Amino acid sequence: MVRPSLSFLTACLAMLLTCGASFAADTDAADSLPSVRERFAGDDVSEVPDFQKHLGPLMGKLGCNGRACHGSFQGQGGFQLSLFGYDFDMDRKGLLDRIDLEEPAASYAIQKPTLIEPHEGGKRMEVGSWEYNLFLNWVKQGAKPVEGERAQLARLEVIPSEILFTAAGQERQLQVIAVWSDGVREDVTCLSRFQSNDDAIVEITGTGLVTSGDKGDSHVVAFYDNAVVPVPIIRPVTDSIGDKYPQLAANTPIDQHVIAKLSKLGIVPSEVCDDAEFLRRVSLDLTATLPTAAEVEAFLADDGPDRRTRKIEELLERPEYITWWTTRLCDLTGSNAGYLGGTEMAQPVAQQWRDWIERRVRDNIGYDEIVRDMVLATSRPAGQQYGEFTAQQSRFTARSGGDDFTAPGNPMPHYWYRSNQSAARDKVLTFGYTFLGVRLQCAECHKHPFDQWSQQDFQNFMQFFEPVKAGQPPESKEQHDQLATMLGVPEILNTAALRRQSYLRIAAEGRPIPWNEVYAAQAVDLSQPQPAQLLGGSKIDLRMYRDPREPLVDWLVSPRNPWFARSFVNRIWANYFNVGIIDPPDDLNKANPPSNAPLLDWLTEEFIAHGYDMKWLHREILNSRTYQLSWIPNSTNRLDERNFSRAVPRRLPAEIAFDMMTQATRNDRKYAEFVTVLNRRALTIPGSALKARNTNPADYALTVFGRSIRDTNCDCDRTEEPSLLQTIFVRNDGQLLSMIDDDDGWLVQIAHEYNLPFERKSQPEKSDEKKARAGAMRRLKVQIQRIQEQIAAAEEAGKTQQAKRLHDQLQKVRRSAKQLDAPATEDDDKSPTDSESEKTVGTPVVPTWNVMEIINEAYLRTLSRFPTDDELQTAEMYISDSADPVDGVRGVLWALINTREFIVNH
């Protein structure tokens, strides 16, 4: 007896499952009302169309309420509809002026789209068509409005829920079923709108017919009422699917979910990266710091099977981890000194913000608890008197140091104090972006085109934010004014900015000033309901709460919230993989579905189950095989950048790029300091980046490399795209060249160790002291010349005594010039190696010139690996051919910093 092959059995099983799924789908469809295309095909229909279920979606389908037609803000031809529909009252009222209840067929609203009357939008429906009959019947039956207690759309089902194509040009029809809260099921395919998220992969017609295109995966999206449903579309890249797909190690749930998706696509992941690549990648990703040369050598010598896991645990405990992830949370929450007063105290306030978050990252406080304490923050807790508050706040901001702003239990109200979110609408938009990862801008004015939110949803949600104020509460105004009078700030300073500057100078001394506050205002009339509604949630009467943010934050950090944990997990993932599982990571709308929904669901559920533990999330991702894959592609994954089948080389964030250049060029002593003394690094600068080389030497470079200035509700505020300015900076900017030639640099150290001459190639920027010295020297030279002319005139006139006095004066000026022109001898002006050489007794021992050791060190400092044999030979030849060996090393170091391998994380 011939046994059937495994592939044959697999195919049969797949066929049975497909038939079963189709049977279930057909059964569901059979229980549904037929579509209006069928029900209104004739002109003798007595059914009354529903405005929300039928007429509104039909106008959307025909394009009547689009931006280019009557949905525009000025309307068209004196007729305006709500953009994308869903303002049923407005749309019906607009139509009432254009319908004739006595003679429905003569209605202007029906004759225009059929071109019986001229219509700039062209013909939208034929007379006698189902669309025409539906519209006509609504008018015939009295143009009824949407009922107050109407059924709500419970869900939208799209059949099939996933489509797997095997060749280009294959077709599949979608069927869309609306399920209403009263149990009615209706086929609404003909009333739904459709879009493809990638026309190269898949196309879809207005009727829902799906046609496959290029190999790969994407989604088509169905829109009806306020529902948005994506349908995954897959066409395998290779035929390595099913039982042809190789057996791969899937050591973690992350790997299992990733491989499950890749196996459908026929994409084989790259090999695991080598140890040097892993160490550099994880060090930069987790701690924003290059591994030291010694660390690289030690890790490469470690043959323990758990060496990568141990390294991850070690990095999670380093101060650099705390510093970098504090920076990322400051990016997310918008700590920007420019919006915190704009005065000399703005930076200290931004520093408070950073320090507060840093304390909580260090203590590994759950993300939910951090956010709860920010969202619920007021300037003074209940029961604290205004005088006590002002004294404490000034102690927080005193330059000489005072109370600890970061202590557990202390509020952090600065999030609400920013001037760029003073209006309630701005608070809503910022809150949605920061904590939910959703863009609500569209819903502020109209129905969101890609999500469920209507303008009414936005307005209802905004009620939670209206009472949140930054200023002076009425109950403390008298004390505020008394303190202002006592301080005697002149009334002549009649602008708020000038008065604020004067006050903050006093606060810098630790003295109380009339501080403004973040507070929640009480409703004026508690007898009237204050309706508010959570996004996608229940309505809440705000009179029941002392602070309207209480129910808001309870909903926000609830495990049932569909956006809070999900958006944070997705952002962390994007940090490691260049793209989010949902991308862009700050746009969690329903038409932008995850590339791997089971993966995102699992990560979100487990993040919540582990108490929103940020270290757990980092650890879980970093220990996965998926994270540790090589960037080198194979024939199947060369074009894949969304399914995590390989590492994607990515431009480093601005702070990391600048700090890397500094770290790689320092001498050994400064190198060791740099990786341990973090307050000297670009990572720790609070607030936002500046545009020029003024406050901090790193400012200009940070701007060039795209540091977040934290002034928009968009993750794109931090840009990591390459630019011409970045290339110019790394190649020949004076700041970088000065790093290489700096007295504290590695190059000077080499010259000293090998007793070689050092010729500075760069032209470092002069310090203020050197500039002052040069200016004084110019003035002295002018003075000397003037005195010499006076001496000549006195001698010619026979004025001997005057000439003698002028000679004495000339000698004094010349001595001053000589002292000014003498080389500096202070310790601060010496390179570290100078002071070390002075301590050497007798003739120093100069080591033998070891060019290979120097080249190895250069590679370890920059690329965190040893050079290949070819690279070693090339570098050795370049240095040997250089007239000056130190200049040869300079060229090698400069070339390594200018490689793509240095400036990207791979």
Side-chain angles (χ1 to χ4, degrees):
M1 185 177 73
V2 178
R3 293 184 179 180
S5 67
L6 178 61
S7 59
F8 175 79
L9 292 174
T10 303
C12 292
L13 178 59
M15 186 179 297
L16 288 171
L17 291 173
T18 302
C19 292
S22 299
F23 176 76
D26 291 342
T27 302
D28 287 342
D31 292 339
S32 306
L33 286 173
S35 71
V36 290
R37 176 191 293 273
E38 301 174 41
R39 295 178 356 236
F40 287 87
D43 57 6
D44 56 348
V45 181
S46 59
E47 180 183 347
V48 180
D50 182 273
F51 192 92
Q52 177 181 356
K53 293 180 178 180
H54 306 130
L55 200 68
L58 176 62
M59 289 191 292
K61 182 80 170 183
L62 298 177
C64 304
N65 55 21
R67 288 191 185 94
C69 201
H70 301 289
S72 68
F73 289 125
Q74 69 272 16
Q76 289 285 349
F79 175 38
Q80 184 181 8
L81 294 169
S82 61
L83 183 59
F84 307 122
Y86 223 70
D87 189 336
F88 307 123
D89 290 338
M90 171 186 170
D91 293 345
R92 178 178 175 274
K93 288 175 182 177
L95 285 170
L96 287 178
D97 294 334
R98 286 164 172 74
I99 62 175
D100 187 337
L101 294 177
E102 295 182 359
E103 195 175 347
S107 297
Y108 206 48
I110 292 178
Q111 293 191 341
K112 292 278 280 186
T114 55
L115 280 186
I116 295 173
E117 290 284 344
H119 183 222
E120 288 186 14
K123 180 177 283 189
R124 294 291 164 170
M125 57 186 181
E126 298 284 350
V127 175
S129 65
W130 69 267
E131 298 98 330
Y132 178 89
N133 293 335
L134 188 152
F135 210 136
L136 185 63
N137 260 36
W138 178 72
V139 179
K140 283 180 178 179
Q141 302 296 334
K144 292 182 179 180
V146 175
E147 300 296 337
E149 295 298 326
R150 63 184 185 276
Q152 300 294 316
L153 181 64
R155 67 180 183 277
L156 193 68
E157 298 175 357
V158 181
I159 304 168
S161 58
E162 182 182 65
I163 300 177
L164 276 71
F165 289 120
T166 56
Q170 291 180 326
E171 295 180 344
R172 187 72 185 269
Q173 176 65 47
L174 294 184
Q175 185 179 26
V176 184
I177 306 294
V179 182
W180 297 90
S181 57
D182 58 5
V184 172
R185 299 172 56 87
E186 180 178 4
D187 185 331
V188 293
T189 308
C190 63
L191 293 172
S192 300
R193 294 179 295 111
F194 303 96
Q195 77 171 33
S196 168
N197 284 356
D198 188 339
D199 290 332
I201 301 292
V202 59
E203 293 181 348
I204 187 167
T205 66
T207 61
L209 181 64
V210 182
T211 305
S212 68
D214 293 343
K215 296 175 180 179
D217 67 305
S218 185
H219 289 82
V220 293
V221 186
F223 302 85
Y224 173 78
D225 194 67
N226 69 340
V228 182
V229 178
V231 177
I233 307 294
I234 293 177
R235 184 188 164 199
V237 174
T238 70
D239 61 357
S240 297
I241 58 175
D243 59 354
K244 294 182 180 180
Y245 194 77
Q247 294 293 318
L248 299 172
N251 303 324
T252 70
I254 288 176
D255 300 325
Q256 293 165 12
H257 288 300
V258 169
I259 290 175
K261 173 71 181 291
L262 294 178
S263 65
K264 292 181 179 180
L265 283 161
I267 293 177
V268 179
S270 295
E271 298 296 324
V272 173
C273 66
D274 62 36
D275 281 344
E277 186 176 323
F278 167 78
L279 179 62
R280 189 179 199 271
R281 181 190 302 172
V282 74
S283 297
L284 290 172
D285 276 343
L286 196 55
T287 67
T289 305
L290 279 172
T292 65
E295 188 179 358
V296 175
E297 292 185 87
F299 189 73
L300 296 182
D302 186 347
D303 59 0
D306 63 340
R307 59 188 177 278
R308 296 191 179 191
T309 299
R310 283 187 282 111
K311 177 56 68 174
I312 291 168
E313 292 302 320
E314 176 192 331
L315 294 175
L316 282 170
E317 297 306 316
R318 286 188 182 177
E320 299 96 306
Y321 160 78
I322 299 167
T323 300
W324 174 231
W325 288 98
T326 295
T327 296
R328 295 315 300 262
L329 288 179
C330 286
D331 282 353
L332 179 60
T333 54
S335 173
N336 183 325
Y339 298 122
L340 295 172
T343 69
E344 63 184 34
M345 290 301 293
Q347 283 298 117
V349 172
Q351 186 68 55
Q352 287 181 359
W353 190 323
R354 180 182 179 86
D355 291 346
W356 189 91
I357 290 180
E358 185 175 288
R359 172 76 172 266
R360 282 141 186 83
V361 175
R362 181 184 301 113
D363 296 343
N364 199 34
I365 301 300
Y367 178 65
D368 60 331
E369 189 173 335
I370 294 174
V371 171
R372 176 182 285 276
D373 287 348
M374 289 184 72
V375 172
L376 274 179
T378 54
S379 294
R380 54 187 170 118
Q384 186 182 50
Q385 297 301 309
Y386 183 73
E388 183 183 352
F389 157 70
T390 57
Q392 182 185 50
Q393 191 62 32
S394 291
R395 290 196 300 271
F396 285 150
T397 54
R399 288 199 187 100
S400 59
D403 291 357
D404 183 6
F405 180 81
T406 73
N410 279 353
M412 211 294 288
H414 303 334
Y415 170 81
W416 297 108
Y417 195 66
R418 293 177 298 167
S419 59
N420 63 333
Q421 59 163 5
S422 55
R425 59 170 294 277
D426 297 323
K427 291 182 175 70
V428 172
L429 297 177
T430 303
F431 184 91
Y433 157 76
T434 303
F435 302 121
L436 303 174
V438 298
R439 301 177 183 178
L440 295 169
Q441 290 90 328
C442 292
E444 182 185 357
C445 302
H446 53 76
K447 168 74 172 66
H448 198 296
F450 305 118
D451 217 327
Q452 64 194 34
W453 316 122
S454 67
Q455 186 179 21
Q456 189 61 54
D457 291 328
F458 185 93
Q459 292 170 350
N460 290 344
F461 191 53
M462 190 167 63
Q463 299 307 308
F464 292 101
F465 301 88
E466 287 281 7
V468 182
K469 308 292 182 183
Q472 195 55 51
E475 65 270 16
S476 60
K477 187 178 186 309
E478 183 178 350
Q479 293 170 282
H480 173 277
D481 295 345
Q482 287 175 353
L483 183 54
T485 302
M486 183 181 70
L487 290 173
V489 175
E491 285 299 322
I492 192 172
L493 300 178
N494 55 5
T495 70
L498 288 175
R499 286 196 299 273
R500 190 163 58 243
Q501 282 188 333
S502 297
Y503 285 141
L504 291 176
R505 289 191 183 98
I506 297 171
E509 300 170 4
R511 293 188 288 151
I513 65 169
W515 288 98
N516 284 334
E517 303 178 51
V518 169
Y519 64 99
Q522 293 293 321
V524 176
D525 185 2
L526 294 178
S527 65
Q528 296 298 318
Q530 290 180 271
Q533 188 168 11
L534 299 162
L535 288 179
S538 57
K539 291 184 177 180
I540 292 175
D541 187 352
L542 296 183
R543 294 176 301 172
M544 308 299 294
Y545 297 89
R546 181 185 60 83
D547 187 328
R549 294 172 297 174
E550 292 174 7
L552 176 68
V553 80
D554 287 342
W555 164 81
L556 177 66
V557 301
S558 166
R560 295 185 298 277
N561 187 299
W563 302 284
F564 175 66
R566 192 177 183 86
S567 64
F568 186 74
V569 164
N570 189 54
R571 279 178 163 128
I572 299 300
W573 183 275
N575 178 82
Y576 292 124
F577 291 92
N578 196 53
V579 295
I581 304 172
I582 295 175
D583 203 68
D586 60 350
D587 193 10
L588 273 64
N589 71 72
K590 291 191 172 185
N592 183 33
S595 59
N596 192 322
L599 171 62
L600 184 56
D601 290 343
W602 182 85
L603 277 171
T604 302
E605 291 165 5
E606 289 301 308
F607 180 56
I608 295 170
H610 285 82
Y612 300 85
D613 183 339
M614 293 184 286
K615 281 189 176 181
W616 174 87
L617 183 58
H618 293 302
R619 185 183 295 113
E620 198 68 23
I621 294 173
L622 299 175
N623 275 301
S624 69
R625 184 179 187 275
T626 302
Y627 173 77
Q628 298 179 23
L629 293 174
S630 170
W631 63 272
I632 300 172
N634 57 44
S635 60
T636 70
N637 69 358
R638 182 173 55 86
L639 300 178
D640 177 41
E641 291 191 357
R642 61 181 253 120
N643 289 298
F644 321 114
S645 62
R646 60 183 174 88
V648 177
R650 46 211 153 85
R651 173 74 67 167
L652 289 161
E655 298 92 334
I656 301 179
F658 183 81
D659 281 346
M660 279 172 51
M661 296 174 206
T662 307
Q663 179 182 346
T665 56
R666 299 301 82 198
N667 64 35
D668 289 347
R669 182 169 64 85
K670 292 292 183 180
Y671 186 96
E673 286 181 7
F674 186 81
V675 297
T676 54
V677 184
L678 300 181
N679 60 5
R680 298 180 183 178
R681 295 178 56 174
L683 284 181
T684 60
I685 301 173
S688 61
L690 303 175
K691 300 296 182 184
R693 309 171 196 261
N694 44 23
T695 307
N696 189 291
D699 287 337
Y700 175 73
L702 293 179
T703 300
V704 167
F705 283 90
R707 185 190 185 195
S708 171
I709 58 174
R710 303 169 183 168
D711 68 345
T712 61
N713 293 326
C714 180
D715 284 2
C716 59
D717 189 63
R718 173 183 288 278
T719 174
E720 292 164 16
E721 294 299 316
S723 72
L724 180 60
L725 267 181
Q726 294 168 7
T727 302
I728 293 172
F729 182 91
V730 178
R731 290 198 173 185
N732 59 14
D733 189 89
Q735 190 170 12
L736 176 68
L737 299 179
S738 295
M739 288 181 186
I740 295 175
D741 281 353
D742 192 82
D743 288 342
D744 288 330
W746 181 55
L747 215 56
V748 171
Q749 176 184 320
I750 290 175
H752 173 74
E753 287 178 352
Y754 291 98
N755 198 24
L756 296 171
F758 179 78
E759 181 182 353
R760 198 180 303 278
K761 297 294 184 181
S762 63
Q763 183 61 42
E765 295 181 10
K766 294 181 178 179
S767 66
D768 291 341
E769 181 181 348
K770 289 181 178 179
K771 290 179 180 178
R773 186 190 296 266
M777 179 60 75
R778 286 194 299 271
R779 290 192 294 273
L780 287 174
K781 286 180 178 178
V782 171
Q783 189 176 356
I784 288 170
Q785 184 178 353
R786 188 184 304 118
I787 294 172
Q788 288 173 333
E789 292 171 354
Q790 291 171 347
I791 289 172
E795 289 177 343
E796 186 178 349
K799 298 178 180 179
T800 309
Q801 291 298 323
Q802 183 181 357
K804 185 178 183 301
R805 287 195 301 271
L806 286 170
H807 272 293
D808 292 338
Q809 184 179 352
L810 180 62
Q811 292 304 314
K812 291 179 181 178
V813 175
R814 280 176 170 168
R815 281 196 299 270
S816 297
K818 186 176 181 180
Q819 291 172 355
L820 192 64
D821 197 38
T825 57
E826 291 80 9
D827 290 343
D828 287 345
D829 290 334
K830 295 178 182 177
S831 71
T833 53
D834 290 334
S835 57
E836 291 164 7
S837 65
E838 289 175 0
K839 297 175 184 177
T840 304
V841 179
T843 304
V845 178
V846 179
T848 305
W849 176 252
N850 189 334
V851 68
M852 290 189 180
E853 184 178 303
I854 290 172
I855 294 169
N856 282 338
E857 174 75 9
Y859 270 80
L860 289 170
R861 281 172 165 268
T862 54
L863 307 186
S864 307
R865 64 173 176 83
F866 287 102
T868 64
D869 291 342
D870 288 344
E871 290 168 336
L872 186 63
Q873 183 179 0
T874 300
E876 184 180 6
M877 289 178 59
Y878 178 81
I879 295 172
S880 299
D881 291 345
S882 300
D884 175 2
V886 176
D887 192 37
V889 176
R890 177 192 284 111
V892 170
L893 181 61
W894 177 89
L896 289 172
I897 291 173
N898 274 275
T899 59
R900 185 169 181 263
E901 187 177 352
F902 176 77
I903 207 64
V904 303
N905 198 1
H906 47 81

